[in-house]
Amino acid sequence: MEGKSHQLQLGWHMLRNPGQAELNSQSENRERTEKDFFANADPWTKLNQENVGVDALRSRLREILAGHIRREFPKVKSEIVQRLKTANTNLQTLGPKRQSETDQREFLMKAAIEYQRIADQAVRSDYSHAGIFDSDKKLRLATESINRGEKFSEDVEQYGHTFHFAPDDNFDSIPEEDDSDIQALDDLRITNDGIDTRCENSHPDTEDIVQRNETVPHPLSRNILSWLKKVHHESRGFELGTFDASLLHVALKRQAYKWHDLALGYISDIVTLVHDFIVKVLRSITPNHRVQRGVVELLMVHLEEKYKKAMDHIRFLLKVELDGTPATHNHYFNDVLEKRRQERLRQRLEEKSFSDCKHGNVVRLEDVAQTHPLNNSDHTVIEIHDILNSYYKLARKRFVDCARMQVADFLLVTGSDSPLAIFSATFVAAMSPEHLEEIAGEEVAGKRQRSNLEKEIGKLMESRKILG
């Protein structure tokens, strides 16, 4: 009892248990009997009174319990907080409640508003307020569209023509096109040596709409004048010193036939960029895969219409440029044509010029009037070449601008009726209850999980409130 032979961690305490007779006695007071026992009965009177009796035991147990609680309380509170945090995280993963029609419409409405905010930033190239643009640079839609348009312009300029145009040199005669020239032109149409028309991999949703990748060959460095001479000989009529206007149309169509694949590849890439943007943004704001795919599938009816309209419009522009009658009111055409004629004249006169020290280089009047060595047919071919060259440059720039402004920009990216504008609050407001339930309604397992988490969170919050 004095702790000399065996030491107890919490110390010792002694009680006097009542006998059987005392338990059966209704007049017996246990606490008073015990107190008299330890106060008067030897050798128990020698014990420390703080370690004997029920009253002292109660006080001691309260002290031990209080100490235990003080030690364990932070751990219990921390465990409750951690479980509450985990439960809330799991509940957030399920997203907002989507059990009623109101819940479902509100959920999709918020998603549409957030989607439009991101789409608007992407079109305005405002990439500083949304981290999604940093995690995936392909979502910088304005930048990607402009860069692709710039590449399209460069590709048409460098590879869009079948033959390189002839320099502004003088010619005594134009050779006939031989069989090797004809074979080279045929090989040009089937060669695999060139550039790809597509820069983006098609999305599975749009594979049936966009153009597959094609290889556009490099322009031929052979003599375009010989080819034009052959075209002229195959198409000329009774004209004298002129040529039929349809000949220019035929020559332009064959010279610019690669525009078709380059333009369709360009617009197909813009369609792919736009559709990838829509799918990825919806995936980021609606983590639930079922909801995301449901929205995309519902949108696809409208998106396909927009994409097909863009592809049809680029084909329309190609038809206007390559199948329509060549025409322009742009003075650039006459300016370039006149410059080419003057350059040829300057080169011819320069060969006859000499310096008289007083007026610089001069040409004798009889030399200016000297007959040009080209025959009528070759002279007409040179005229066709110069007109084709001048008109081709003008038409190429006009077509590239129209392809970008009308199709890539207005119909697909920046226009008020572009594919990006379809998923909106107005679109969600018009959705039927059946579509809402099919797309945004929670599955049975999800409802059960949400209910269990909400009950758990309620109990944990009550426990935390009790603990303070």
Side-chain angles (χ1 to χ4, degrees):
M1 298 298 295
E2 294 177 352
K4 294 180 180 180
S5 61
H6 185 66
Q7 301 231 348
L8 298 176
Q9 184 178 0
L10 299 178
W12 58 271
H13 203 91
M14 183 172 286
L15 301 175
R16 177 189 179 279
N17 291 326
Q20 188 63 40
E22 294 173 337
L23 289 174
N24 295 330
S25 175
Q26 296 182 358
S27 61
E28 189 70 27
N29 189 310
R30 182 194 183 286
E31 293 183 5
R32 185 173 65 250
T33 301
E34 183 182 52
K35 188 174 182 180
D36 291 343
F37 174 78
F38 286 113
N40 301 313
D42 288 330
W44 314 115
T45 56
K46 298 178 181 180
L47 297 177
N48 187 346
Q49 294 301 305
E50 294 180 357
N51 290 45
V52 297
V54 172
D55 290 338
L57 178 61
R58 289 194 186 101
S59 298
R60 177 60 177 156
L61 289 175
R62 277 195 294 267
E63 292 176 3
I64 294 174
L65 181 60
H68 181 71
I69 290 175
R70 280 193 296 271
R71 288 192 304 272
E72 298 299 326
F73 178 78
K75 297 179 183 178
V76 174
K77 190 173 182 179
S78 176
E79 181 181 352
I80 290 176
V81 171
Q82 185 60 40
R83 288 179 59 186
L84 185 61
K85 182 179 179 181
T86 301
N88 279 321
T89 300
N90 292 336
L91 186 61
Q92 290 176 2
T93 302
L94 295 177
K97 185 179 292 187
R98 310 187 305 276
Q99 297 180 2
S100 68
E101 178 184 338
T102 302
D103 294 337
Q104 294 159 3
R105 199 177 297 278
E106 181 180 358
F107 169 75
L108 289 179
M109 195 77 74
K110 290 180 179 179
I113 292 172
E114 176 64 12
Y115 163 82
Q116 283 297 329
R117 184 184 69 83
I118 295 175
D120 180 64
Q121 291 177 343
V123 172
R124 290 187 293 105
S125 64
D126 179 9
Y127 309 131
S128 59
H129 296 93
I132 190 173
F133 298 120
D134 294 326
S135 59
D136 189 347
K137 298 296 176 61
K138 283 291 184 181
L139 296 180
R140 300 187 173 195
L141 193 56
T143 302
E144 290 293 325
S145 177
I146 291 172
N147 290 343
R148 184 61 183 89
E150 189 173 86
K151 186 179 187 307
F152 169 64
S153 177
E154 294 172 353
D155 288 346
V156 175
E157 180 180 0
Q158 296 176 18
Y159 306 102
H161 45 283
T162 303
F163 289 94
H164 287 300
F165 285 100
D168 296 330
D169 295 335
N170 289 313
F171 304 94
D172 294 333
S173 64
I174 299 175
E176 299 289 341
E177 185 178 51
D178 57 26
D179 293 338
S180 63
D181 293 325
I182 299 174
Q183 184 62 41
L185 189 58
D186 292 336
D187 293 343
L188 181 65
R189 296 188 176 96
I190 61 175
T191 182
N192 292 322
D193 180 24
I195 63 166
D196 292 334
T197 59
R198 295 291 306 277
C199 299
E200 305 291 334
N201 295 323
S202 298
H203 192 282
D205 292 342
T206 60
E207 284 183 338
D208 295 336
I209 301 174
V210 299
Q211 182 84 354
R212 63 185 178 87
N213 183 52
E214 302 286 352
T215 300
V216 170
H218 299 288
L220 289 173
S221 58
R222 296 176 181 272
N223 195 339
I224 187 175
L225 295 176
S226 298
W227 170 68
L228 286 175
K229 186 173 184 178
K230 181 175 183 294
V231 173
H232 177 240
H233 284 183
E234 292 175 349
S235 307
R236 61 183 174 177
F238 294 103
E239 303 88 1
L240 184 61
T242 61
F243 59 90
D244 190 272
S246 63
L247 193 149
L248 178 63
H249 170 228
V250 172
L252 175 66
K253 188 171 183 178
R254 294 175 68 176
Q255 175 72 339
Y257 85 93
K258 289 185 286 185
W259 289 10
H260 179 273
D261 289 340
L262 289 170
L264 290 179
Y266 167 48
I267 300 304
S268 295
D269 278 348
I270 300 299
V271 168
T272 299
L273 287 170
V274 169
H275 192 72
D276 281 345
F277 176 88
I278 293 172
V279 172
K280 289 178 179 178
V281 172
L282 287 175
R283 186 182 302 154
S284 71
I285 61 179
T286 55
N288 186 291
H289 179 71
R290 174 173 166 267
V291 175
Q292 181 254 320
R293 283 310 306 171
V295 172
V296 172
E297 289 173 2
L298 185 61
L299 292 175
M300 274 309 297
V301 177
H302 307 278
L303 291 174
E304 286 181 359
E305 180 183 346
K306 302 293 184 184
Y307 298 152
K308 288 178 180 178
K309 182 178 180 181
M311 298 302 292
D312 289 342
H313 195 76
I314 193 63
R315 292 187 179 97
F316 167 76
L317 293 178
L318 284 165
K319 187 175 183 63
V320 169
E321 292 291 352
L322 301 182
D323 292 341
T325 301
T328 181
H329 290 291
N330 195 330
H331 66 84
Y332 174 82
F333 170 72
N334 286 323
D335 291 345
V336 174
L337 180 59
E338 189 60 30
K339 286 179 181 178
R340 295 186 65 85
R341 291 168 173 169
Q342 291 177 3
E343 177 60 24
R344 282 209 170 86
L345 177 60
R346 187 193 65 80
Q347 290 186 19
R348 287 201 304 270
L349 295 178
E350 190 174 33
E351 297 174 358
K352 308 290 184 179
S353 67
F354 61 91
S355 177
D356 68 349
C357 299
K358 182 178 180 180
H359 297 93
N361 289 342
V362 296
V363 180
R364 293 185 180 90
L365 185 59
E366 57 269 24
D367 290 335
V368 175
Q370 186 176 3
T371 304
H372 195 276
L374 288 175
N375 59 40
N376 289 341
S377 175
D378 287 352
H379 179 77
T380 302
V381 170
I382 293 293
E383 189 71 4
I384 294 172
H385 172 272
D386 289 349
I387 293 175
L388 176 64
N389 190 2
S390 301
Y391 185 76
Y392 177 90
K393 290 182 179 179
L394 182 147
R396 186 199 75 216
K397 294 178 180 180
R398 178 177 62 197
F399 174 69
V400 168
D401 284 345
C402 288
R404 179 189 161 177
M405 293 181 64
Q406 296 183 26
V407 188
D409 289 356
F410 186 77
L411 290 182
L412 291 174
V413 180
T414 62
S416 59
D417 198 31
S418 75
L420 299 176
I422 295 177
F423 186 53
S424 62
T426 304
F427 181 85
V428 175
M431 289 176 63
S432 66
E434 293 75 17
H435 278 146
L436 289 172
E437 177 63 31
E438 180 183 354
I439 295 172
E442 287 186 293
E443 298 177 352
V444 176
K447 293 179 179 179
R448 186 185 304 113
Q449 185 180 4
R450 183 185 297 278
S451 177
N452 293 336
L453 286 171
E454 288 176 344
K455 291 179 181 178
E456 182 182 359
I457 289 172
K459 292 178 180 179
L460 290 172
M461 291 183 68
E462 186 177 349
S463 300
R464 188 177 66 175
K465 184 178 181 181
I466 293 173
L467 294 175

